[in-house]
Amino acid sequence: CSSDLLSYNSLVVLWVWCLVADDWETRTLHSEMERVNYWNALAEVFDRHVDRWLTVPSWAGRWSSGMEPYTKKLAMLASDLKSVTDRKDAIIKLEGFFLDAFDAVTLSDAKKYINNLEVTRRDRVREYFIPLWFWTRLEKGRWEIASKQLKLVGSRARDSLHVDHVVPYHWWDKNPVDDDAPGAGNDLGNCMLLRANFNIAKSDSSARAFLTTKVDAFKSDPSMLDRWADALDLSVELLDAEQAGLAKVSDAVARRTKLICDELCSFIDGKSTRQDQ
């Protein structure tokens, strides 16, 4: 995931969790096969929970209290494991460290954060990066089409990702709405992740005009635009705002914002997972 991902403290906590697991293995397991099975099982536990563990508590504001709550839990975990001799029981306790982070209040607070996430300034849309990073990966078809390299003729590949406005920002300058109104230009529903070279070249062009005239994959395959738009839930109003008008574009942005937030809330609840692995 991105290096923007939330908190260095969380990475330290994960490292200590691994040390606690390693300490139990060193003290308890003796055969190589036992050790292999143990670490394979822990790898599955880690992969199953780490995405939500890194994001949900952060969205819920839990890291604002610092590392102390987590270090206390790790100390208790290390202490509890001293009396455990069975490998399966140890794995259950180690997995419990992740599961304890998904209590009802934390899940509720994380969903409130996502549902209330709103940026009113153009230069702050980077705050959508992590939510969009996960949302793009929550549906297999979406990820497959979004992950393809969009290469421009004569451009140098740049792999970094930007948060870009679907309907160009200059269009909203010409069609202003109240910043507090749903469907405004800086709302989550008017943003997507694009590779840097794609974002820079797009500039103030509509998505439809840019894709069909500048991007090889779309120029050579007329059906690509519809498939790409469907995968990213981009309606015709968002692809060509000039033809739609302010009211329809604002409604389309508001609908897409709700759709993205609903899917992210499903991820918070553990009902959906990344499909890019």
Side-chain angles (χ1 to χ4, degrees):
C1 193
S2 164
S3 60
D4 290 6
L5 191 58
L6 317 171
S7 168
Y8 286 114
N9 287 340
S10 63
L11 301 181
V12 173
V13 170
L14 287 177
W15 177 66
V16 175
W17 179 85
C18 291
L19 289 179
V20 171
D22 181 72
D23 177 69
W24 185 86
E25 179 252 306
T26 301
R27 289 185 293 100
T28 310
L29 300 182
H30 303 292
S31 75
E32 184 62 26
M33 184 58 67
E34 285 181 322
R35 295 189 179 97
V36 169
N37 290 337
Y38 172 72
W39 286 110
N40 284 343
L42 281 186
E44 292 179 4
V45 166
F46 188 89
D47 290 343
R48 186 160 57 246
H49 298 299
V50 69
D51 287 327
R52 289 178 69 220
W53 187 87
L54 283 169
T55 52
V56 172
S58 179
W59 290 344
R62 295 300 178 264
W63 285 103
S64 61
S65 301
M67 293 177 61
E68 185 176 359
Y70 295 92
T71 54
K72 285 183 177 179
K73 289 180 180 179
L74 285 168
M76 291 176 60
L77 175 62
S79 178
D80 290 345
L81 283 172
K82 289 181 179 179
S83 61
V84 175
T85 57
D86 182 78
R87 173 170 54 88
K88 291 182 179 179
D89 290 341
I91 292 168
I92 289 172
K93 285 188 175 295
L94 286 160
E95 184 172 18
F97 174 78
F98 293 109
L99 296 175
D100 288 346
F102 305 132
D103 61 272
V105 176
T106 297
L107 297 182
S108 177
D109 288 348
K111 285 184 282 188
K112 288 178 183 176
Y113 168 81
I114 288 297
N115 285 321
N116 294 327
L117 183 58
E118 184 178 15
V119 171
T120 58
R121 288 171 45 185
R122 180 182 185 180
D123 60 350
R124 297 293 300 275
V125 294
R126 178 75 184 182
E127 293 179 23
Y128 295 142
F129 186 93
I130 295 298
L132 285 173
W133 193 96
F134 276 100
W135 177 76
T136 303
R137 291 159 170 76
L138 291 180
E139 202 277 321
K140 188 173 179 63
R142 180 188 305 145
W143 170 247
E144 287 177 349
I145 198 165
S147 63
K148 292 179 180 178
Q149 176 68 45
L150 298 171
K151 293 184 178 179
L152 307 178
V153 176
S155 71
R156 295 181 178 179
R158 295 178 64 178
D159 289 333
S160 62
L161 290 173
H162 287 187
V163 176
D164 183 46
H165 295 84
V166 181
V167 178
Y169 196 79
H170 85 99
W171 185 90
W172 297 94
D173 284 340
K174 295 189 298 182
N175 299 270
V177 297
D178 185 338
D179 282 341
D180 294 328
N186 291 314
D187 284 3
L188 179 61
N190 190 43
C191 291
M192 59 183 172
L193 294 183
L194 293 179
R195 294 191 182 278
N197 61 340
F198 189 15
N199 185 18
I200 292 167
K202 177 176 175 288
S203 185
D204 289 335
S205 301
S206 72
R208 181 186 299 278
F210 173 72
L211 292 170
T212 56
T213 60
K214 298 293 185 180
V215 182
D216 287 345
F218 291 83
K219 290 167 64 178
S220 61
D221 181 359
S223 70
M224 183 72 165
L225 179 63
D226 288 339
R227 290 186 283 117
W228 183 77
D230 287 344
L232 293 175
D233 294 289
L234 297 171
S235 66
V236 63
E237 294 86 0
L238 299 180
L239 290 177
D240 197 351
E242 293 287 354
Q243 303 300 317
L246 178 59
K248 290 183 178 179
V249 172
S250 295
D251 287 345
V253 170
R255 287 196 303 271
R256 188 168 181 265
T257 296
K258 185 178 186 307
L259 183 146
I260 293 173
C261 290
D262 287 348
E263 290 193 26
L264 288 171
C265 286
S266 178
F267 167 73
I268 289 169
D269 283 332
K271 296 177 181 177
S272 59
T273 59
R274 284 170 54 185
Q275 301 298 307
D276 61 325
Q277 300 171 308

